[in-house]
Amino acid sequence: MPQHQIAVIVGSLRRDSFNRKLAPPEFSFVNIEIGHLPLYNQDNDGTPPDSIKRLKAEIAASAGLLFVTPEYNRSVPGVLKNAIDHASRPYGQNAWAGKPAGVLGVSVGPIGTAVAQQHLRNILAYLDVPTLGQPEVFLQATEELFDDTGSIGPASRQFLQGWMDKYVAWVKDYAA
Ligand SMILES: Cc1cc2nc3c(=O)[nH]c(=O)nc-3n(C[C@H](O)[C@H](O)[C@H](O)COP(=O)(O)O)c2cc1C
């Protein structure tokens, strides 16, 4: 395990997801897949399937969390909320607690996931997850956002790199 492993949780299952492109590909960032998880059912708290045990183990192994999410109907996508609910239970065994989290998002709308991020921050506050406050990252999926190779285009690269540098330093402070 890299010294500061970051668990990346993407709130979109779409093949060509803009948000998936934002998630950094570096070695120490581990993508947590959430699309195959069953719908949360509290009846199964005592007998979680392997997929949920794995989800919670991946979170436990991480020094930090990075949520990259679109906005669905002015909130977080259900698939992301489902994963959050799963790892928060059974009561008293919340895997997210205490893990420092960054929140990013891109949507086609001009407010760039601002409402979804605010909802997500409320959920994370309840789950005892500290979040990096500034700078906020509200991205709109315009033609300039990505270049021809699907990487972040020059207009946003410096801003996102600056955000990432601050986030990584913040997570390291937590781990110290
Ligand atoms: C069910 C649904 C609800 C959506 N609601 C919003 C919304 O509230 N605000 C917004 O800016 N875009 C909304 N969109 C458009 C998304 O920004 C767009 O589909 C975006 O590409 C999703 O991110 P992705 O590319 O990572 O999948 C919605 C899309 C879907 C499918």
Coordinates of all heavy atoms in Angstrom, one line a residue, residues 12 14 16-20 70-75 106-110 112-113, ligand 1:
S12 N -20.6 8.6 -10.7 CA -21.3 8.4 -12.0 C -20.8 7.0 -12.5 O -19.6 6.7 -12.4 CB -20.9 9.4 -13.0 OG -21.3 9.1 -14.3
R14 N -21.6 6.2 -15.7 CA -21.6 6.4 -17.2 C -20.2 6.1 -17.8 O -19.2 6.5 -17.3 CB -22.0 7.9 -17.4 CG -22.5 8.2 -18.8 CD -23.2 9.5 -18.9 NE -22.2 10.6 -18.8 CZ -21.6 11.2 -19.8 NH1 -21.7 10.7 -21.0 NH2 -20.7 12.2 -19.6
D16 N -18.7 7.3 -20.4 CA -17.8 8.4 -20.8 C -18.0 9.6 -19.8 O -17.9 10.7 -20.1 CB -18.3 8.9 -22.2 CG -18.0 7.9 -23.2 OD1 -17.0 7.2 -23.1 OD2 -18.8 7.8 -24.2
S17 N -18.2 9.2 -18.5 CA -18.4 10.1 -17.5 C -17.3 11.2 -17.4 O -16.1 11.0 -17.4 CB -18.4 9.4 -16.1 OG -18.3 10.3 -15.0
F18 N -17.8 12.5 -17.4 CA -16.9 13.6 -17.1 C -16.2 13.5 -15.8 O -15.0 13.8 -15.6 CB -17.6 15.0 -17.2 CG -18.3 15.2 -18.5 CD1 -19.7 15.6 -18.5 CD2 -17.6 15.2 -19.7 CE1 -20.3 15.9 -19.7 CE2 -18.3 15.5 -20.9 CZ -19.6 15.8 -20.9
N19 N -17.0 13.1 -14.8 CA -16.5 13.0 -13.4 C -15.4 12.0 -13.3 O -14.4 12.1 -12.6 CB -17.6 12.8 -12.4 CG -18.4 14.1 -12.2 OD1 -18.0 14.9 -11.5 ND2 -19.5 14.2 -13.0
R20 N -15.6 10.8 -14.0 CA -14.5 9.8 -14.0 C -13.2 10.3 -14.6 O -12.1 10.0 -14.1 CB -15.0 8.6 -14.8 CG -14.3 7.3 -14.5 CD -15.0 6.1 -15.0 NE -16.1 5.7 -14.2 CZ -16.1 5.1 -13.0 NH1 -14.9 4.7 -12.5 NH2 -17.1 4.8 -12.3
P70 N -21.1 13.9 -10.1 CA -22.1 14.8 -10.8 C -23.2 15.2 -9.9 O -23.3 14.8 -8.7 CB -22.6 13.9 -11.9 CG -22.4 12.5 -11.5 CD -21.4 12.5 -10.4
E71 N -24.0 16.1 -10.4 CA -25.3 16.5 -9.7 C -26.4 15.8 -10.4 O -26.6 16.0 -11.6 CB -25.4 18.0 -9.8 CG -26.6 18.5 -9.0 CD -26.5 20.1 -8.9 OE1 -25.7 20.5 -8.1 OE2 -27.1 20.8 -9.7
Y72 N -27.3 15.1 -9.7 CA -28.5 14.5 -10.2 C -29.7 15.2 -9.5 O -29.9 15.0 -8.3 CB -28.5 13.0 -10.0 CG -27.8 12.2 -11.0 CD1 -27.0 12.7 -12.0 CD2 -27.9 10.8 -11.0 CE1 -26.3 11.9 -12.9 CE2 -27.3 10.0 -11.9 CZ -26.5 10.6 -12.9 OH -25.8 9.8 -13.8
N73 N -30.5 15.9 -10.3 CA -31.7 16.5 -9.7 C -31.4 17.3 -8.5 O -32.0 17.1 -7.4 CB -32.8 15.5 -9.5 CG -33.1 14.8 -10.9 OD1 -33.2 15.5 -11.9 ND2 -33.3 13.5 -10.9
R74 N -30.3 18.1 -8.6 CA -29.9 19.0 -7.5 C -29.5 18.2 -6.2 O -29.5 18.8 -5.1 CB -31.0 20.0 -7.1 CG -31.2 21.0 -8.3 CD -30.1 22.0 -8.4 NE -30.3 23.0 -9.4 CZ -29.8 23.0 -10.6 NH1 -28.9 22.0 -11.0 NH2 -30.1 23.9 -11.5
S75 N -28.9 17.0 -6.4 CA -28.4 16.3 -5.2 C -27.4 15.3 -5.7 O -26.9 15.3 -6.8 CB -29.6 15.6 -4.4 OG -29.1 15.1 -3.2
V106 N -18.2 17.8 -11.7 CA -18.4 18.5 -13.0 C -19.8 18.1 -13.5 O -20.2 16.9 -13.4 CB -17.3 18.2 -14.0 CG1 -17.1 16.7 -14.1 CG2 -17.7 18.8 -15.4
S107 N -20.5 19.1 -13.9 CA -21.9 18.8 -14.5 C -22.0 19.7 -15.8 O -21.2 20.6 -16.0 CB -23.0 19.1 -13.5 OG -23.0 20.5 -13.2
V108 N -23.1 19.4 -16.5 CA -23.3 20.2 -17.7 C -24.0 21.6 -17.3 O -23.9 22.5 -18.1 CB -24.2 19.5 -18.7 CG1 -23.5 18.2 -19.2 CG2 -25.6 19.1 -18.1
G109 N -24.6 21.6 -16.1 CA -25.2 22.9 -15.7 C -24.2 23.9 -15.3 O -23.1 23.6 -14.8
P110 N -24.5 25.2 -15.3 CA -23.6 26.3 -15.0 C -23.1 26.4 -13.6 O -22.1 26.9 -13.3 CB -24.3 27.6 -15.5 CG -25.7 27.2 -15.5 CD -25.8 25.7 -15.8
G112 N -22.2 23.8 -11.8 CA -21.2 22.9 -11.7 C -21.2 22.0 -10.4 O -20.2 21.9 -9.7
T113 N -22.4 21.4 -10.1 CA -22.6 20.5 -9.0 C -22.6 21.1 -7.6 O -22.4 20.5 -6.6 CB -21.5 19.3 -9.0 OG1 -20.3 19.8 -8.5 CG2 -21.4 18.6 -10.3
Ligands
LIG1 C1 -30.9 11.8 -13.6 C2 -30.0 13.1 -14.0 C3 -30.2 14.2 -13.3 C4 -29.4 15.4 -13.6 N1 -29.6 16.5 -12.8 C5 -28.7 17.5 -13.0 C6 -28.6 18.6 -12.1 O1 -29.4 18.7 -11.1 N2 -27.7 19.6 -12.3 C7 -26.8 19.5 -13.4 O2 -26.0 20.4 -13.5 N3 -26.8 18.5 -14.2 C8 -27.7 17.5 -14.1 N4 -27.7 16.4 -14.9 C9 -26.8 16.4 -16.1 C10 -25.4 16.0 -15.7 O3 -24.6 17.1 -15.3 C11 -24.7 15.2 -16.9 O4 -25.5 14.1 -17.2 C12 -23.3 14.9 -16.5 O5 -22.7 14.4 -17.7 C13 -23.2 13.8 -15.5 O6 -21.9 13.5 -15.1 P1 -21.0 12.4 -15.7 O7 -20.6 12.8 -17.1 O8 -19.8 12.2 -14.8 O9 -21.9 11.1 -15.8 C14 -28.5 15.3 -14.7 C15 -28.4 14.1 -15.4 C16 -29.1 13.0 -15.0 C17 -28.9 11.7 -15.8

